[in-house]
Amino acid sequence: MMHRVAAFAWLRRPLYTAAGIALLALMLFPVYWMVNASLQKSGNTLSTELFPMAPNLDGYVRAITEQGANLITSLVVSLCTVALSLAIAAPAAYALARLRGRWVDAILFAILVSQMIPGIVIANALYPAYNSLHLLNSIPGLVLADATAGIPFAILLMRSFMLGLPPSLVEAACVDGAGPIRTFVSIVVPVSRNAIITAGLFTFLFAWSDFLFALTLTTTKAVRPVTLGIYQYLGTQVSNWQSIMATAVVSSLPAIILLLVAQRFITAGALGGSTK
């Protein structure tokens, strides 16, 4: 009996590893098929070979040529959304972490409720306002719209982290004569780097993958994010899935690169060495 238990314990790790690899392969198969289809000749994806035996990059050339402007628009909108969201959310999170009172709980509850409002409701409310302010079909308009999702999330995320900051850090800065703004900029922001990067990363992903605001608040080709470009691309390139899949692959690269670069900041110890 003991030998059977020992044998099962020895096999348990390989079995778990195999199960994990199988689940990972199942989840990543759509990504593989997207890349595979982008390297095949033009045609229906149902007739695509399992492996690209003769890779063809014509789809990428066409995707960059026809969707390059949309990719740049999405990149500008996403980066500006991150900058605006963090500029507002970081001081707000620090203030809500430092201050005490019932009104703080009321503000946090209001921020939480704002996260529950459906995006279509916000988009419909913004449309007439944008029309009056001439913000339709503009990058600032999309940045403000995307920030409505990024700011509340960033506040809640960074406040949770800032609540755990050692009071000695702020007290030491005050003893040295630093004011609230200098303390925040010189002490709190560097120590909170991991939380700020995490909030910025998710805000970027929110803005980069936005489709609802892009569809509602843009009506011309002058300003068109890549998500809307792919959506409208489907109508004109139904028989050319190579270009569609190539566009999808190219539009996924910024998010993948950011995740890889920011991973070490997200997983690093937030207060490592700060109290030494």
Side-chain angles (χ1 to χ4, degrees):
M1 183 66 180
M2 295 297 295
H3 292 291
R4 292 181 180 179
V5 173
F8 179 76
W10 181 80
L11 290 173
R12 183 162 49 186
R13 178 172 293 182
L15 290 175
Y16 287 164
T17 302
I21 293 175
L23 290 175
L24 182 62
L26 182 63
M27 290 187 291
L28 292 180
F29 182 77
V31 178
Y32 165 76
W33 194 254
M34 178 178 66
V35 176
N36 179 38
S38 69
L39 296 173
Q40 303 282 359
K41 294 181 179 180
S42 300
N44 195 324
T45 55
L46 296 178
S47 60
T48 300
E49 299 176 355
L50 186 60
F51 300 101
M53 304 304 296
N56 190 313
L57 299 178
D58 291 343
Y60 288 92
V61 175
R62 187 168 184 176
I64 294 175
T65 302
E66 299 181 357
Q67 296 289 331
N70 297 335
L71 286 166
I72 294 175
T73 298
S74 288
L75 186 61
V76 172
V77 170
S78 300
L79 292 177
C80 291
T81 300
V82 171
L84 177 63
S85 299
L86 294 182
I88 296 175
Y94 178 62
L96 292 173
R98 292 283 296 171
L99 299 177
R100 296 292 183 270
R102 293 182 179 179
W103 59 274
V104 174
D105 295 333
I107 292 176
L108 291 173
F109 180 75
I111 293 174
L112 185 61
V113 170
S114 69
Q115 290 288 88
M116 302 178 183
I117 299 176
I120 187 62
V121 175
I122 299 176
N124 288 335
L126 288 177
Y127 186 86
Y130 274 30
N131 190 33
S132 301
L133 297 172
H134 304 288
L135 287 176
L136 293 176
N137 305 305
S138 68
I139 289 179
L142 289 176
V143 170
L144 291 174
D146 291 335
T148 60
I151 292 175
F153 176 83
I155 290 176
L156 294 175
L157 180 69
M158 288 189 287
R159 178 184 179 271
S160 299
F161 172 84
M162 292 178 180
L163 284 173
L165 291 178
S168 59
L169 291 176
V170 178
E171 293 172 358
C174 294
V175 170
D176 291 339
I181 297 178
R182 184 179 177 184
T183 300
F184 173 75
V185 174
S186 302
I187 303 298
V188 176
V189 170
V191 173
S192 306
R193 181 184 63 176
N194 294 317
I196 293 174
I197 290 176
T198 302
L201 174 63
F202 280 99
T203 302
F204 181 90
L205 295 178
F206 290 157
W208 183 261
S209 61
D210 169 63
F211 174 76
L212 185 59
F213 289 134
L215 180 64
T216 306
L217 303 176
T218 59
T219 57
T220 66
K221 296 181 179 180
V223 177
R224 178 174 293 174
V226 69
T227 50
L228 186 59
I230 294 176
Y231 172 72
Q232 296 179 343
Y233 209 40
L234 289 172
T236 59
Q237 303 290 333
V238 174
S239 60
N240 186 16
W241 282 94
Q242 180 193 39
S243 298
I244 296 174
M245 291 300 182
T247 305
V249 172
V250 173
S251 65
S252 302
L253 291 180
I256 295 174
I257 293 173
L258 278 178
L259 285 171
L260 294 176
V261 172
Q263 183 179 11
R264 67 187 183 92
F265 294 103
I266 296 173
T267 58
L271 292 177
S274 63
T275 58
K276 293 182 181 179

